[in-house]
Amino acid sequence: TAGSLYYWTAHLAGPKWGPFASWCCAWLEAIGLISSIGTLAYIGSQTLQIIILLCTGTNTNGGYSFPKWLFLVTYIALVIIWATLNTFALNVVALIDIVSIWWQVIGGFTFIIMVPLVALKTQPASYVFMKFELSSQSTGISSKPYAVVLSLLVSQFALFGYDAAAHLTEETKGADKNGPIAILSSIGIVSLMGWACLLALTFSIQDFGYLYDASNETGGSYVLGQILYDAFYGRYHS
C-alpha cells in the first residue's frame, strides 16, 4: 500500500477510519478498472463496426454490419491486445501514450470546432440545455429518473482517466508540487474538453427522432456515429 491512492486515503482518513477508507478505495479502484476496460473494449468494437458499416455503404445501402459472433471476437481481441502490450511491451505503451496525448488534444479541438461548423443547422441553446426527450418508442425507456441516471453515463465518460495523474505521482520528479498540479489540472482540462465535446455533439443534432430509427444509416444503434454522419453527409454528401 506504499504510495498512491490507498496510502493517501488511509492517511487523510486518519487512524480510526483509515483502514476502512483505504479498503473502500482499493475495491472501488479494482471494480472501476475492470468495468472501464470492458466498457472501452465494447465501445472500441462498436466504433470499428460503425466505421466499417459507413465505409461499405451504410445500413441503408448494403453496408457490412458485424454479426454478433464477430463483434464478440473483436471485443475479446482488443482485450487480449491490451493485456499483451501492458504485460510485455511497456516501451510500446509509452510511445502510444505520447501519440495518444497529441491525438486527443489536436483531435479533440478539431472535433469541437468542426462538427458544429459542418452541420447544416445547429440546435438553439434552449434545446440543448432545457429540452427533455425520452423517445420511449425508440429507446424503450419511459421513466424520467432512470433516463437521468443513464444520461450521467455520458458525463462519466467525459470525466474519465484523470486518475492516471494520481497513479503516476510516485514516479514523478518533484512529486510534492508536480503531483497535485497534474491531478488538479487534468481534472480541469478533462472537464472543459469533455463538456465542450458534449456541447458540440448536442448542438449538432439534426433530427433527434432519426437518431434511434432502426432504418437509419447506423441501424439506430450508434447515436454518436449518426450525429457525425448527418452533419458531414448533409454538408458534403460523403
mmCIF file of all heavy atoms in Angstrom, residues 18 34 59 81 120 142 145-146 166 192 206 213 234:
data_model
loop_
_atom_site.group_PDB
_atom_site.id
_atom_site.type_symbol
_atom_site.label_atom_id
_atom_site.label_comp_id
_atom_site.label_asym_id
_atom_site.label_seq_id
_atom_site.Cartn_x
_atom_site.Cartn_y
_atom_site.Cartn_z
ATOM 1 N N GLY A 18 -9.011 5.153 8.602
ATOM 2 C CA GLY A 18 -8.056 4.933 7.529
ATOM 3 C C GLY A 18 -8.121 3.552 6.886
ATOM 4 O O GLY A 18 -8.223 3.440 5.660
ATOM 5 N N ILE A 34 -11.755 -2.822 -13.905
ATOM 6 C CA ILE A 34 -12.335 -3.972 -14.618
ATOM 7 C C ILE A 34 -13.480 -3.537 -15.531
ATOM 8 O O ILE A 34 -13.536 -3.889 -16.715
ATOM 9 C CB ILE A 34 -12.825 -5.040 -13.617
ATOM 10 C CG1 ILE A 34 -11.634 -5.668 -12.879
ATOM 11 C CG2 ILE A 34 -13.626 -6.130 -14.345
ATOM 12 C CD1 ILE A 34 -12.022 -6.511 -11.687
ATOM 13 N N ASN A 59 -26.052 1.314 -43.438
ATOM 14 C CA ASN A 59 -27.132 0.357 -43.187
ATOM 15 C C ASN A 59 -28.222 0.424 -44.257
ATOM 16 O O ASN A 59 -28.908 -0.563 -44.519
ATOM 17 C CB ASN A 59 -27.744 0.645 -41.807
ATOM 18 C CG ASN A 59 -28.890 -0.283 -41.464
ATOM 19 O OD1 ASN A 59 -28.718 -1.494 -41.428
ATOM 20 N ND2 ASN A 59 -30.066 0.279 -41.219
ATOM 21 N N ILE A 81 -5.088 -7.870 -26.906
ATOM 22 C CA ILE A 81 -4.029 -6.977 -27.398
ATOM 23 C C ILE A 81 -3.568 -6.044 -26.287
ATOM 24 O O ILE A 81 -2.364 -5.866 -26.057
ATOM 25 C CB ILE A 81 -4.527 -6.169 -28.609
ATOM 26 C CG1 ILE A 81 -4.699 -7.089 -29.819
ATOM 27 C CG2 ILE A 81 -3.537 -5.043 -28.957
ATOM 28 C CD1 ILE A 81 -5.430 -6.442 -30.980
ATOM 29 N N LEU A 120 -25.417 21.363 -41.034
ATOM 30 C CA LEU A 120 -26.232 22.305 -41.800
ATOM 31 C C LEU A 120 -27.027 23.231 -40.889
ATOM 32 O O LEU A 120 -27.298 24.374 -41.230
ATOM 33 C CB LEU A 120 -27.184 21.537 -42.732
ATOM 34 C CG LEU A 120 -26.520 20.850 -43.935
ATOM 35 C CD1 LEU A 120 -27.561 20.063 -44.719
ATOM 36 C CD2 LEU A 120 -25.824 21.867 -44.831
ATOM 37 N N SER A 142 -39.249 4.766 -20.406
ATOM 38 C CA SER A 142 -40.374 5.655 -20.114
ATOM 39 C C SER A 142 -40.225 6.371 -18.779
ATOM 40 O O SER A 142 -41.010 7.260 -18.467
ATOM 41 C CB SER A 142 -41.685 4.855 -20.120
ATOM 42 O OG SER A 142 -41.622 3.788 -19.185
ATOM 43 N N PRO A 145 -36.622 9.536 -14.185
ATOM 44 C CA PRO A 145 -35.460 9.378 -13.286
ATOM 45 C C PRO A 145 -34.425 8.401 -13.835
ATOM 46 O O PRO A 145 -33.215 8.638 -13.739
ATOM 47 C CB PRO A 145 -36.094 8.853 -11.996
ATOM 48 C CG PRO A 145 -37.500 9.361 -12.031
ATOM 49 C CD PRO A 145 -37.900 9.315 -13.472
ATOM 50 N N TYR A 146 -34.900 7.297 -14.426
ATOM 51 C CA TYR A 146 -33.965 6.310 -14.995
ATOM 52 C C TYR A 146 -33.204 6.917 -16.173
ATOM 53 O O TYR A 146 -32.001 6.690 -16.339
ATOM 54 C CB TYR A 146 -34.747 5.073 -15.437
ATOM 55 C CG TYR A 146 -33.883 3.963 -15.981
ATOM 56 C CD1 TYR A 146 -32.858 3.413 -15.221
ATOM 57 C CD2 TYR A 146 -34.097 3.443 -17.261
ATOM 58 C CE1 TYR A 146 -32.067 2.387 -15.715
ATOM 59 C CE2 TYR A 146 -33.315 2.424 -17.762
ATOM 60 C CZ TYR A 146 -32.306 1.890 -16.983
ATOM 61 O OH TYR A 146 -31.522 0.883 -17.484
ATOM 62 N N ALA A 166 -2.756 10.671 -10.618
ATOM 63 C CA ALA A 166 -2.528 10.212 -9.243
ATOM 64 C C ALA A 166 -1.661 8.948 -9.221
ATOM 65 O O ALA A 166 -0.748 8.816 -8.399
ATOM 66 C CB ALA A 166 -3.863 9.950 -8.553
ATOM 67 N N LEU A 192 -13.374 20.525 -18.966
ATOM 68 C CA LEU A 192 -13.668 21.513 -20.015
ATOM 69 C C LEU A 192 -13.750 20.860 -21.390
ATOM 70 O O LEU A 192 -14.682 21.128 -22.164
ATOM 71 C CB LEU A 192 -12.600 22.608 -20.005
ATOM 72 C CG LEU A 192 -12.620 23.566 -18.812
ATOM 73 C CD1 LEU A 192 -11.425 24.498 -18.855
ATOM 74 C CD2 LEU A 192 -13.920 24.373 -18.790
ATOM 75 N N GLN A 206 -29.266 16.939 -35.865
ATOM 76 C CA GLN A 206 -30.112 17.415 -36.957
ATOM 77 C C GLN A 206 -31.569 17.025 -36.753
ATOM 78 O O GLN A 206 -32.479 17.827 -36.913
ATOM 79 C CB GLN A 206 -29.600 16.866 -38.293
ATOM 80 C CG GLN A 206 -28.160 17.253 -38.605
ATOM 81 C CD GLN A 206 -27.957 18.756 -38.705
ATOM 82 O OE1 GLN A 206 -28.440 19.397 -39.637
ATOM 83 N NE2 GLN A 206 -27.249 19.331 -37.730
ATOM 84 N N ASP A 213 -33.775 5.660 -35.117
ATOM 85 C CA ASP A 213 -34.538 4.961 -36.138
ATOM 86 C C ASP A 213 -33.744 3.752 -36.641
ATOM 87 O O ASP A 213 -32.605 3.900 -37.111
ATOM 88 C CB ASP A 213 -34.835 5.909 -37.295
ATOM 89 C CG ASP A 213 -35.858 5.342 -38.267
ATOM 90 O OD1 ASP A 213 -35.947 4.101 -38.377
ATOM 91 O OD2 ASP A 213 -36.557 6.130 -38.921
ATOM 92 N N GLY A 234 -24.747 15.527 -44.709
ATOM 93 C CA GLY A 234 -25.647 16.627 -45.046
ATOM 94 C C GLY A 234 -24.923 17.760 -45.727
ATOM 95 O O GLY A 234 -25.463 18.420 -46.631
#
